[in-house]
């Protein structure tokens, strides 16, 4: 039996993932613990959200108050619902979360039936409960439960825990090691289908990724160079070749990851959650800032890319709950850069007028980079990487704009 523990900021994302399985007949709620719900077995995201929010402290001393655990028995272990419920209850009690509000789901979408637990990991004062050596304690607890319920022991070669994804802090030193940890966690913790999406993800964690091409002894060479960035999105320090980190984050490995990600996103329908949340935010948000805040509240960061004239030519969504990175056009034409450019065109003009006014008042003003982002660390992160030849993820000019340019050329006459 293997238990996987993850923490997050979005309760909605964790509940939506499980509720979608329930709606599709691939899961059901086994029981709830200390939830303020009517025990009629008709659970809804709205009702569960209200119950958790009522018990969520106003002041939090952590950005990740949500707990999401999956417990996976061996494929040959056939357990009743009652046994699974007992295992979940004992596991949470031994791990220190027995008195917390949480929900337990049984998933049947694959042959190996397993359980998911969603709950709060903070006390009444908003402080996270003691999670010291949590993964180590979790393994010890699963071994005890295996013996108690006469289950198959976990395989000796258990899959390693997913590396923790942290922002690179250049001032903290040991930059090469920091970049290596962040790049590995991003590359294999998230799914993306283009190098542009990969760059957008890494930039959110203060890492700049650049493709390099050339020749060595007459043979073509392609590689990746990683650099640390500061809070303003500017590259700092010396770049690090992918080969110094490991082949697992080199050019060929990243290409393979993109191919496999495309298949997984398609087969697993991993775009659906992101699309639904983005569509809802577009309907309700009154401006770009509100749109970004609503997405961020549900575990999604959005990166807008603008050219020098202020036109939005690229948009990327980073869904931290589904762990997918998607350019807007992948969600559909109605989520492409052109749509957001039209949607926020008035705000763009206002931004430009404000910048022009600031330049007049401050002669030494240095123009900001061409990025507007919901992630503070991504602002001005990409610079030339997402310039005119950014790889074609988003169109640069609309067809009507190109026709206008051609028309101007044709109307020019020589007397």
């Amino acid at each position: 039996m293997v238990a996987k523990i993850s923490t997050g900021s979005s309760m909605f994302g964790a509940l939506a993932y499980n509720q979608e399985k329930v709606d599709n007949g691939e899961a059901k709620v086994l029981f709830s613990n200390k939830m303020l719900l009517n025990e009629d077995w008709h659970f809804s995201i709205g009702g569960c959200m209200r119950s958790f929010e009522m018990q969520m402290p106003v002041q939090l001393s952590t950005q990740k108050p949500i707990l999401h655990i999956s417990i996976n028995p061996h494929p040959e272990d056939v357990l009743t619902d009652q046994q699974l419920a007992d295992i979940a209850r004992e596991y949470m009690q031994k791990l220190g979360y027995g008195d917390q509000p949480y929900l337990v789901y049984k998933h049947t979408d694959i042959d190996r039936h397993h359980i998911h637990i969603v709950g709060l990991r903070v006390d009444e004062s908003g402080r996270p409960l003691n999670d010291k050596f949590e993964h180590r304690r979790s393994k010890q607890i699963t071994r005890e439960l295996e013996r108690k319920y006469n289950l198959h022991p976990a395989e000796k070669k258990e899959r390693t825990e997913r590396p923790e994804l942290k922002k690179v802090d250049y001032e903290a030193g040991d930059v090469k090691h920091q970049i290596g940890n962040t790049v590995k966690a991003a590359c294999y913790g998230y799914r993306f289908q283009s190098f542009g999406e990969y760059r957008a993800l890494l930039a959110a964690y203060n890492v700049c990724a650049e493709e390099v091409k050339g020749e060595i002894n007459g043979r073509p060479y392609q590689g990746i160079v990683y650099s640390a960035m500061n809070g303003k999105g500017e590259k700092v320090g010396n770049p690090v070749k992918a080969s110094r980190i490991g082949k697992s984050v080199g050019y060929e490995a990243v290409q393979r990851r993109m191919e496999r990600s495309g298949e997984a996103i398609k087969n697993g329908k991993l775009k659906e959650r992101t699309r639904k949340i983005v569509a809802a935010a577009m309907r309700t948000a009154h401006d770009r800032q509100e749109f970004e805040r609503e997405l961020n509240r549900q575990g999604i960061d959005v990166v807008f890319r603008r050219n020098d004239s202020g036109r939005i030519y690229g948009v990327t969504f980073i869904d931290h709950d589904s762990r997918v990175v998607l350019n807007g056009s992948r969600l559909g034409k109605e989520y492409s850069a052109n749509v957001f450019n039209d949607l926020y065109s008035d705000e763009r003009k206002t931004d430009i007028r404000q910048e022009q006014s600031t330049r007049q008042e401050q002669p030494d003003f240095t123009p900001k980079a061409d990025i507007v982002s919901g992630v503070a660390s991504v602002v001005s992160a990409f610079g030339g990487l997402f310039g005119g030849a950014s790889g074609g993820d988003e169109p640069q000019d609309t067809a009507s704009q190109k026709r206008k340019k051609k028309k101007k050329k044709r109307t020019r006459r020589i007397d």
Side-chain angles (χ1 to χ4, degrees):
M1 183 165 57
V2 176
K4 298 179 183 178
I5 304 173
S6 61
T7 60
S9 59
S10 172
M11 176 59 75
F12 178 86
L15 291 173
Y17 170 79
N18 288 281
Q19 187 62 44
E20 184 178 6
K21 301 284 187 182
V22 173
D23 294 341
N24 293 335
E26 299 173 335
K28 66 179 180 180
V29 177
L30 286 181
F31 72 93
S32 64
N33 186 70
K34 296 199 172 183
M35 296 288 290
L36 308 176
L37 298 168
N38 294 323
E39 296 292 347
D40 56 3
W41 299 102
H42 293 289
F43 296 91
S44 67
I45 293 180
C48 294
M49 283 288 292
R50 286 190 292 273
S51 178
F52 278 120
E53 288 173 353
M54 290 174 63
Q55 302 182 73
M56 180 84 76
V58 177
Q59 298 293 333
L60 295 173
S61 60
T62 176
Q63 295 181 348
K64 296 183 177 181
I66 311 305
L67 185 71
H68 194 175
I69 300 173
S70 67
I71 300 179
N72 304 270
H74 191 279
E76 296 181 15
D77 289 327
V78 180
L79 299 168
T80 66
D81 289 357
Q82 186 60 54
Q83 287 175 317
L84 288 172
D86 291 342
I87 287 173
R89 190 176 286 106
E90 290 184 46
Y91 176 88
M92 292 293 281
Q93 190 67 45
K94 291 177 180 293
L95 195 60
Y97 296 106
D99 294 328
Q100 294 293 102
Y102 63 83
L103 281 167
V104 178
Y105 299 84
K106 174 188 175 182
H107 285 214
T108 59
D109 52 331
I110 57 177
D111 292 338
R112 174 176 46 76
H113 293 182
H114 55 287
I115 55 179
H116 280 247
I117 306 170
V118 178
L120 298 181
R121 57 183 291 266
V122 292
D123 59 20
E124 295 83 354
S125 62
R127 292 191 299 268
L129 299 183
N130 182 19
D131 59 356
K132 191 174 183 180
F133 306 118
E134 190 167 70
H135 292 286
R136 185 187 304 173
R137 291 189 290 114
S138 173
K139 290 181 180 179
Q140 181 62 38
I141 294 168
T142 55
R143 292 191 188 102
E144 293 174 3
L145 292 173
E146 286 168 352
R147 290 192 293 269
K148 178 176 179 178
Y149 289 91
N150 195 27
L151 305 178
H152 289 80
E155 298 178 6
K156 293 183 179 179
K157 294 184 178 179
E158 295 178 358
R159 279 184 281 179
T160 58
E161 298 291 342
R162 177 184 290 157
E164 187 175 0
L165 191 54
K166 293 182 178 180
K167 287 186 179 182
V168 170
D169 181 2
Y170 180 77
E171 298 297 331
D174 198 9
V175 177
K176 175 180 171 292
H177 183 69
Q178 286 192 67
I179 291 176
N181 287 342
T182 298
V183 169
K184 290 176 182 177
C187 186
Y188 293 96
Y190 285 74
R191 292 185 173 92
F192 47 88
Q193 301 172 76
S194 72
F195 196 76
E197 291 169 338
Y198 182 47
R199 289 184 298 193
L201 171 63
L202 288 177
Y205 293 92
N206 292 350
V207 176
C208 173
E210 298 172 285
E211 287 185 279
V212 292
K213 299 181 180 180
E215 288 189 2
I216 297 179
N217 298 326
R219 299 178 62 183
Y221 166 83
Q222 289 181 304
I224 301 176
V225 172
Y226 299 101
S227 303
M229 297 193 300
N230 58 23
K232 298 179 180 180
E234 303 165 336
K235 289 191 291 184
V236 290
N238 297 321
V240 180
K241 292 182 180 179
S243 58
R244 293 186 59 200
I245 299 173
K247 291 184 179 180
S248 62
V249 292
Y251 181 84
E252 294 181 358
V254 172
Q255 293 294 319
R256 288 194 299 271
R257 179 63 176 170
M258 288 190 288
E259 293 175 5
R260 294 170 182 169
S261 293
E263 296 175 1
I265 290 172
K266 180 180 179 180
N267 297 335
K269 299 180 180 180
L270 299 182
K271 293 189 292 188
E272 301 308 315
R273 173 187 180 274
T274 309
R275 183 188 288 116
K276 289 178 183 178
I277 294 175
V278 171
M282 289 175 70
R283 289 193 299 268
T284 59
H286 295 91
D287 53 37
R288 192 190 68 225
Q289 288 76 19
E290 186 177 347
F291 175 68
E292 292 173 352
R293 286 195 299 270
E294 177 58 24
L295 291 185
N296 186 259
R297 188 180 70 83
Q298 301 190 56
I300 298 176
D301 287 323
V302 57
V303 179
F304 291 113
R305 298 185 292 284
R306 300 191 307 183
N307 59 22
D308 292 337
S309 64
R311 180 178 179 276
I312 297 175
Y313 68 85
V315 57
T316 302
F317 298 98
I318 304 174
D319 191 328
H320 297 289
D321 286 293
S322 298
R323 290 189 171 257
V324 293
V325 186
L326 300 160
N327 281 332
S329 56
R330 294 195 191 279
L331 298 178
K333 292 181 179 179
E334 59 270 40
Y335 309 101
S336 66
N338 286 334
V339 172
F340 287 102
N341 183 65
D342 294 337
L343 190 62
Y344 300 129
S345 59
D346 292 337
E347 294 180 38
R348 188 178 74 254
K349 292 175 183 177
T350 301
D351 290 341
I352 293 173
R353 286 195 295 269
Q354 289 176 345
E355 288 182 5
Q356 290 174 343
S357 175
T358 305
R359 289 193 187 99
Q360 292 174 357
E361 295 174 2
Q362 300 178 5
D364 295 331
F365 176 82
T366 301
K368 293 182 179 179
D370 62 347
I371 295 175
V372 179
S373 169
V375 191
S377 64
V378 179
V379 177
S380 70
F382 300 105
L385 291 180
F386 285 117
S390 62
D393 285 330
E394 303 288 353
Q396 297 263 343
D397 288 315
T398 61
S400 61
Q401 288 173 321
K402 292 181 179 179
R403 286 197 297 271
K404 288 179 181 178
K405 290 180 180 179
K406 291 181 179 179
K407 186 175 180 181
K408 287 182 180 179
K409 291 181 179 179
R410 288 200 300 269
T411 54
R412 183 180 180 184
R413 301 190 324 187
I414 299 177
D415 295 333

